[in-house]
Amino acid sequence: MVKEIEKNLIFSGVQPTGNLHLGNYLGAIKNWVELQNKSKCIFCIVDLHAITTIEGRKNLENYSKEVAAAYIASGIDPKKSDIFVQSSISGHAELSWILGCFTPIGWLNRMTQFKDKAGKNKEKAPLGLYSYPVLMASDILLYKSSHVPVGEDQKQHLELSRDIAQSFNRFYDTDFFPIPEPVITGNATRVMSLRDGTKKMSKSDPSEFSRINMTDDEDLIRKKILKAKTDSHPFPENEKDLEGRPEINNLLNIFMSIQNISLPKLIQNYAGMEFRKFKEDLADCLVLKISKISSEMRRLLSDKQYLDSILSEGSMNAQEIARKNILDIKKLIGFYKS
């Protein structure tokens, strides 16, 4: 997949809602490091998306810098990829309104994430949460992105982005917007809770032992992995033994992603052993990787001037693309130009 996207433009982003965790790293950021060596990349900090929830409206500036630090500490190179805060470029919100006029309500009604997040109180949910997928489409299409790294839970939103692009193109008889393709890489495209393998790892889970935070120290990482839920069955001896065992599948996926090892090889290495040995080795791998990132994050966060300069330069570079494309879109639509 990576070879196929050379010389195209990749867009992705993470919400600045605090407590970045292993799911954010393995499911997204880790894979971006490889992608940036193959293609032009824009990695946004999507703070406009964050304010669709009450908790996301808090500490936005600090959390945005934390995400920027995590990007860089994980290996995103600001000299290769543009890193910026979404709200610094008005084109995201402007294009969202335009694209909303090409998006039937029926399409948005099918979005399962709104139903999940709004729950039983959907009448009290903000409009922004409902129209969130249109803003996501504008993020992607504003830069005429050709590819978007997505997790399993974002596939539906990318499909909507493709539909919106095609709707606009059809109406104006143009091929202005490329139809963005998904990029799904790595083993841990969806990292699950350490306490319940059927639920996605999330910072909103009340149990701290459900996730590995990017800021966890060595002792806490080891403790969380050793306490991670498994089951009463022995370590699997083949892939068939994994059926109906979500917690084991999750730990194996994490190990495979951290070590870049295949599933058959991993099973071969630990077949017949106790889970404790497997967990100890997994903890060692995570400590080696995450502690380095968290240490570098702390160093970067202490250098406010450096982070500000990276975000400012990234914003200027992205703004240059966004401004040109917004002008072209307005011209296609026929908006009056004074």
Side-chain angles (χ1 to χ4, degrees), residues 34-291:
E34 180 183 359
L35 292 173
Q36 72 177 345
N37 295 320
K38 299 293 183 180
S39 184
K40 167 67 177 174
C41 292
I42 294 176
F43 296 125
C44 189
I45 298 159
V46 289
D47 56 343
L48 293 175
H49 287 288
I51 63 171
T52 57
T53 63
I54 293 174
E55 65 174 10
R57 299 166 193 167
K58 303 172 183 176
N59 300 316
L60 271 174
E61 184 176 358
N62 290 336
Y63 288 156
S64 292
K65 289 179 179 177
E66 181 183 301
V67 174
Y71 284 178
I72 299 167
S74 300
I76 301 298
D77 185 349
K79 294 178 180 178
K80 296 179 179 178
S81 306
D82 293 322
I83 302 171
F84 67 96
V85 178
Q86 180 189 27
S87 61
S88 68
I89 297 179
S90 61
H92 288 265
E94 188 173 6
L95 183 58
S96 181
W97 172 261
I98 292 171
L99 295 181
C101 296
F102 294 85
T103 306
I105 292 291
W107 291 1
L108 292 179
N109 286 339
R110 291 197 292 268
M111 296 293 106
T112 57
Q113 196 168 85
F114 171 75
K115 298 171 186 175
D116 293 341
K117 289 190 174 183
K120 296 178 180 178
N121 296 315
K122 67 178 183 178
E123 295 300 323
K124 295 181 179 180
L127 173 62
L129 185 61
Y130 181 71
S131 61
Y132 175 110
V134 181
L135 178 58
M136 181 175 171
S138 81
D139 297 336
I140 296 165
L141 299 177
L142 180 60
Y143 303 98
K144 301 177 77 170
S145 309
S146 59
H147 293 79
V148 182
V150 292
E152 292 292 329
D153 58 336
Q154 291 293 326
K155 280 184 177 180
Q156 190 184 37
H157 284 173
L158 182 59
E159 282 299 321
L160 180 67
S161 299
R162 290 165 56 87
D163 289 341
I164 293 172
Q166 290 169 332
S167 175
F168 182 95
N169 286 350
R170 279 195 305 270
F171 190 88
Y172 291 107
D173 192 22
T174 181
D175 59 357
F176 181 81
F177 287 127
I179 310 305
E181 296 289 338
V183 180
I184 301 175
T185 59
N187 300 303
T189 54
R190 196 176 192 199
V191 181
M192 312 305 283
S193 165
L194 299 179
R195 307 304 298 162
D196 182 349
T198 65
K199 296 180 179 178
K200 188 178 177 182
M201 186 176 286
S202 170
K203 80 176 192 70
S204 61
D205 192 306
S207 172
E208 274 289 325
F209 280 80
S210 68
R211 60 188 172 272
I212 302 292
N213 297 312
M214 297 301 290
T215 53
D216 284 347
D217 61 28
E218 178 177 338
D219 289 342
L220 192 52
I221 290 172
R222 292 187 189 281
K223 188 179 293 185
K224 287 180 177 181
I225 291 298
L226 289 176
K227 287 182 174 290
K229 184 179 178 181
T230 51
D231 56 38
S232 59
H233 300 292
F235 194 92
E237 296 190 357
N238 52 60
E239 293 183 45
K240 189 174 181 181
D241 284 349
L242 291 172
E243 293 179 7
R245 304 177 70 182
E247 286 79 20
I248 309 307
N249 272 290
N250 186 41
L251 293 178
L252 287 170
N253 283 336
I254 292 171
F255 206 130
M256 288 160 59
S257 186
I258 285 287
Q259 288 294 88
N260 293 317
I261 185 173
S262 69
L263 180 58
K265 180 65 175 176
L266 186 58
I267 291 175
Q268 179 185 336
N269 289 348
Y270 290 95
M273 296 187 185
E274 294 184 357
F275 271 111
R276 184 173 183 84
K277 170 60 177 170
F278 169 78
K279 286 184 173 182
E280 287 173 347
D281 288 352
L282 174 56
D284 286 342
C285 295
L286 286 170
V287 163
L288 189 63
K289 176 63 71 173
I290 301 303
S291 61

